[in-house]
Amino acid sequence: MIGPHLVIHGGARTIALDGRHWTVGRSADNFIVIDEVSISRKHAMLQRLEDEQVYLIDLGSRNGTFVNDRRVTVPTSVRDSDQIRFGLVECTFHWPGALRPETMIAVGQATSMLQVRRLISVVVIDIRDYTGLTRRTDEQVLTRVMAEWFRLIGGIVHAGGGYVDKSIGDAVMAVWFHGQDRIEPQDLLRVTRALAAINAATQTLHETFGLAAPIRIAAGVNTGFAVMGNTGTAERPDYTALGDTVNAAFRIESATRGLAKEIAVGESTWEPLRALLGDDLFERRTIEPKGYDEPLVVYTANFADLATLLARVPPR
């Protein structure tokens, strides 16, 4: 083969990479389906950009994606004969005719977009009264607190099948992938269980670090389609979710303050979830986010309410 292709060692499969993007995972809606226990349902993605480079992106997989035995944590360019491992499955990427990436990257090169439209849930988590926390806490202690908070969130999100997209100051944005055009209630159950676990872990930080009071958080959740895009350059790719679904999630989280609640979820998130949790503890409200012509419907609760609802759902 002259074009890019992937050789999967265990199954002796060779897959031609025609087109521009190829998802890898255990579920049947992936371009490359690998039915192996170490592979996540949505494990990784290979993306060919306009400059003819191919990038490998981990999609929050449980067992990791590796290039030449180095774990992929940011979009990573792959070259001919690079060894790729998805979980425990070893592969080799081949593209003999491709130019080496360093011969193609120009300083200041324009952003290349990753044209992958996915159905996702976006969770935005923010620390309440962070300014007050900074004033009450020694800088060195605060640095350790925040490092531990980000570490805890990363571990919980990862265990729940999502991935941390970015950290912004005292806020975190996490993403869960769904099927091509269908939201399974169990997917959203994993999201809300992760959210409850993050709150519970956050509540212990004041004891660990000797803070005067527990740290409180608020969260917004929204579900819908988004384009997975590279907002960086070829030299410094920044793979993230883009679009109104993401923007609305931030607006929904911001609205929790005015609503005097700790959690707000968008209508598209709540509808599949209510079949599992019931609707007696979440309150329907409307918000008028800045930049939106029409109000948004959200469903609000506190973390204590969420814990009560989740306790009703049998573990699977």
Side-chain angles (χ1 to χ4, degrees), residues 220-268:
V221 187
N222 195 39
T223 301
F225 285 96
V227 171
M228 308 311 295
N230 173 23
T231 59
T233 65
E235 291 176 301
R236 293 179 177 269
D238 181 16
Y239 178 70
T240 188
L242 305 166
D244 183 63
T245 296
V246 178
N247 185 56
F250 279 89
R251 297 291 189 269
I252 290 169
E253 189 280 323
S254 296
T256 58
R257 292 157 181 77
L259 298 172
K261 294 289 185 178
E262 295 171 330
I263 305 168
V265 304
E267 194 168 24
S268 57

Side-chain angles (χ1 to χ4, degrees), residues 251-252 255 259 285-298:
R251 297 291 189 269
I252 290 169
L259 298 172
R285 306 284 292 273
T286 59
I287 61 175
E288 297 184 0
K290 183 178 178 181
Y292 283 74
D293 296 331
E294 300 291 336
L296 294 180
V297 174
V298 298

